[in-house]
Amino acid sequence: MASGQHDPEASTSSGLRGSTSRPSTSTATTNFSLEVFDNEVVPSSLGSIVPILRVASEVEPEHPRVAFICRLYAFEKAHRLDPKSIGRGVRQFKTGLSQRLEQDNASTLVYRVKKTDGREIESFYRQYYEHYVRALDKGEQADRDKLGKTYQTAGVLYEVLCGVSKTVSPELIAAAKDVHEKKGFYTPYNILPLGAAGASQGIMHLDEVKASVDALGYTRGLRWPSSFEQRRQEVGELDLLDWLRAMFGFQKESVKNQREHLLLILADVHIRLEPRPEPLNKLDGRAIDAVMNKLFKNYKTWCKFLGIKHSLRLPEGRQEMQQRKILYMGLYLLIWGEGANVRFMPECLCYIFHNVSAALCGSLSRATGIISIVTGENIKPSYAGEDEAFLRKVIKPIYRVIDKESQKSKNGKAPHSAWCNYDDLNEYFWSADCFSLDWPMRDDSDFFKSTRDKGKQATQQESESTGKSYFVETRTFWHIFRSFDRMWTLYLLALQAMIIVAWRGNSPSDIFEKDILYHVSTIFITASFLRFLQISLMKGTLGEEL
């Protein structure tokens, strides 16, 4: 075997010999260092260096010096991430990595062709880009998995190159820019390989999947913002969720997730329809209606409870109606995807969707004066125009209220009536008073100022709390008895019956005798007393309405 090749057994034996020459280093530490490079066992706080170590292991058989340079850069990056080695396992990891670098420095130096390490990694990156990246990039015929891995490796090598070399040639900068632009195109997917590179995958040829993709791709009649026009020309056809992202400022990765989510739901319902739709490669309206009814069941119930009309307005025309329904479903899923912890407040999500969907209807309507006379474009909704605008301007303010209330709990030590949990905050959206927030939401509203306190004269301390909207739960020592009252009642009644049988009879079958059965019937008197006791305790444990 050539000295530049990687052999696990040879590495282990050489590592053990190296450890004997260092009395201060234990065998366990050396074994850990070798395990790190063989299995990439890296501390969680240094997870960003895992791709660098993986690339080092891949290129080591052919270019040992390049692998050494990658590991050296990984060591420097690990030191920058945790200079004091306070993370769990970081000090041990650094020690093992340092030993490995000392051991490989001299042995890999003979494989260096250029005068410096910077020139060596630069030459290797140029060769890798020419022989692998450009050679594998064959358009739609390219192997998506192999090319995606190649782009990831090229990205890591360029990061190492920039960390080692002070100057990078314009040629390599242009190559790195090309890799960066196309790396996202070939990123690993979850289930559906959407995009031109995944068109050859078998799952994309299923009729139900093709029908869902075609339905999402119907964007006729939609006005795109001018900032997206250039991107449309560069990337190609965009779908309805891309339009929602352009109009409302959703996150790019969230749009990717919810696109696949919606496609899979539609495809699953479409293929299960009875009788079978004809043709199968065209999305059936029954599938859209079924998904829509499930998604908006809670929203419609919320609107009915508040006595307001829902904002799911549909135009005339079959294609336009189907497009609008998919827009509504995509909008709801995108709001749910961006919501994070706000998902635990379902009525709050209903409030957000009610206003955003109304803005969607307005931006699609030409009869309401929504078209700008100056630009001729649809006037954008209140929260729009920038990437991640929805997260920063809608979700983040609500999350701040949640976070502020959670801090008042003092890790569960504060009384339950002194702070608000998700249910308490969600109660604010159970009444039409929530519409006092307006849209766009006013920063000076009661919800964001945390001054809501119905039915009581708030003190200065209480004015800093959001307060319970309708009901205050007061938890006392007796709360555990009220919460498990049925269990305590069952235990006490069973104990009473067993004592009577054990005292009066000789066996459990004696319970059916007249005298014993008469005495056992007293458990109903005990049950009545326990029920009276429970009602007496309820006032002190349940709380009071505001």
Side-chain angles (χ1 to χ4, degrees), residues 347-410:
E347 279 66 39
C348 178
L349 290 184
C350 291
Y351 171 80
I352 295 173
F353 175 79
H354 181 77
N355 290 279
V356 177
S357 59
L360 172 64
C361 292
S363 62
L364 291 173
S365 174
R366 300 192 178 201
T368 57
I370 204 72
I371 302 297
S372 173
I373 301 176
V374 179
T375 62
E377 293 186 354
N378 289 57
I379 296 176
K380 292 182 179 180
S382 302
Y383 301 108
E386 309 167 8
D387 287 340
E388 302 183 2
F390 189 86
L391 178 68
R392 290 184 287 103
K393 297 180 180 180
V394 179
I395 300 300
K396 191 174 181 179
I398 298 176
Y399 176 76
R400 285 175 178 170
V401 178
I402 299 174
D403 182 60
K404 183 178 179 180
E405 290 297 324
S406 66
Q407 292 177 3
K408 295 177 183 178
S409 68
K410 298 179 181 179

Side-chain angles (χ1 to χ4, degrees), residues 170-210:
E171 177 188 357
L172 296 184
I173 295 177
K177 184 179 180 181
D178 177 65
V179 170
H180 179 72
E181 292 176 351
K182 294 183 178 180
K183 184 169 65 175
F185 187 67
Y186 291 101
T187 52
Y189 56 89
N190 185 19
I191 297 176
L192 297 179
L194 301 172
S200 60
Q201 300 294 322
I203 191 173
M204 300 305 296
H205 293 282
L206 297 176
D207 289 334
E208 59 272 19
V209 175
K210 291 168 64 177

Side-chain angles (χ1 to χ4, degrees), residues 143-167:
D143 188 335
R144 181 187 177 94
D145 295 335
K146 186 179 296 185
L147 191 58
K149 185 177 180 181
T150 302
Y151 275 117
Q152 291 179 3
T153 302
V156 172
L157 290 174
Y158 184 74
E159 179 186 353
V160 177
L161 171 61
C162 294
V164 175
S165 181
K166 296 181 179 180
T167 59

Side-chain angles (χ1 to χ4, degrees), residues 253-386:
E253 298 303 323
S254 178
V255 172
K256 288 183 178 179
N257 291 336
Q258 299 309 322
R259 176 184 291 112
E260 186 178 61
H261 187 187
L262 180 57
L263 286 173
L264 290 173
I265 293 175
L266 291 173
D268 182 65
V269 176
H270 177 73
I271 197 63
R272 293 170 181 265
L273 290 176
E274 291 293 343
R276 302 273 289 182
E278 292 293 341
L280 193 59
N281 60 355
K282 189 176 181 66
L283 191 62
D284 195 289
R286 292 176 295 165
I288 297 177
D289 292 338
V291 177
M292 193 171 179
N293 291 335
K294 289 183 179 180
L295 283 180
F296 298 119
K297 180 179 180 181
N298 185 59
Y299 168 67
K300 291 181 178 180
T301 303
W302 177 77
C303 291
K304 184 178 180 180
F305 179 77
L306 297 184
I308 60 175
K309 186 177 181 180
H310 63 74
S311 57
L312 302 175
R313 300 163 191 169
L314 300 175
E316 297 181 358
R318 182 175 177 275
Q319 289 290 345
E320 291 74 14
M321 184 182 297
Q322 177 174 294
Q323 180 191 74
R324 185 71 62 89
K325 289 179 179 179
I326 296 178
L327 282 173
Y328 284 139
M329 291 187 291
L331 181 63
Y332 183 84
L333 290 176
L334 287 172
I335 293 174
W336 180 84
E338 298 268 343
N341 288 35
V342 183
R343 297 175 193 168
F344 298 109
M345 301 165 59
E347 279 66 39
C348 178
L349 290 184
C350 291
Y351 171 80
I352 295 173
F353 175 79
H354 181 77
N355 290 279
V356 177
S357 59
L360 172 64
C361 292
S363 62
L364 291 173
S365 174
R366 300 192 178 201
T368 57
I370 204 72
I371 302 297
S372 173
I373 301 176
V374 179
T375 62
E377 293 186 354
N378 289 57
I379 296 176
K380 292 182 179 180
S382 302
Y383 301 108
E386 309 167 8

Side-chain angles (χ1 to χ4, degrees), residues 334-483:
L334 287 172
I335 293 174
W336 180 84
E338 298 268 343
N341 288 35
V342 183
R343 297 175 193 168
F344 298 109
M345 301 165 59
E347 279 66 39
C348 178
L349 290 184
C350 291
Y351 171 80
I352 295 173
F353 175 79
H354 181 77
N355 290 279
V356 177
S357 59
L360 172 64
C361 292
S363 62
L364 291 173
S365 174
R366 300 192 178 201
T368 57
I370 204 72
I371 302 297
S372 173
I373 301 176
V374 179
T375 62
E377 293 186 354
N378 289 57
I379 296 176
K380 292 182 179 180
S382 302
Y383 301 108
E386 309 167 8
D387 287 340
E388 302 183 2
F390 189 86
L391 178 68
R392 290 184 287 103
K393 297 180 180 180
V394 179
I395 300 300
K396 191 174 181 179
I398 298 176
Y399 176 76
R400 285 175 178 170
V401 178
I402 299 174
D403 182 60
K404 183 178 179 180
E405 290 297 324
S406 66
Q407 292 177 3
K408 295 177 183 178
S409 68
K410 298 179 181 179
N411 294 327
K413 297 179 181 178
H416 186 71
S417 58
W419 62 284
C420 297
N421 57 23
Y422 288 108
D423 290 336
D424 297 326
L425 293 174
N426 194 42
E427 285 181 5
Y428 180 76
F429 299 92
W430 287 3
S431 73
D433 294 340
C434 66
F435 292 103
S436 62
L437 285 175
D438 292 335
W439 196 264
M441 295 182 293
R442 296 186 295 107
D443 295 337
D444 60 345
S445 64
D446 291 343
F447 184 78
F448 293 115
K449 290 175 64 176
S450 298
T451 57
R452 183 175 180 83
D453 190 15
K454 286 188 174 182
K456 290 185 178 181
Q457 184 66 31
T459 62
Q460 183 177 0
Q461 182 177 3
E462 288 173 339
S463 64
E464 299 177 355
S465 174
T466 301
K468 314 291 184 176
S469 296
Y470 297 103
F471 187 80
V472 178
E473 182 181 3
T474 305
R475 296 184 178 180
T476 66
F477 170 78
W478 297 104
H479 183 77
I480 187 173
F481 294 98
R482 187 193 64 81
S483 298

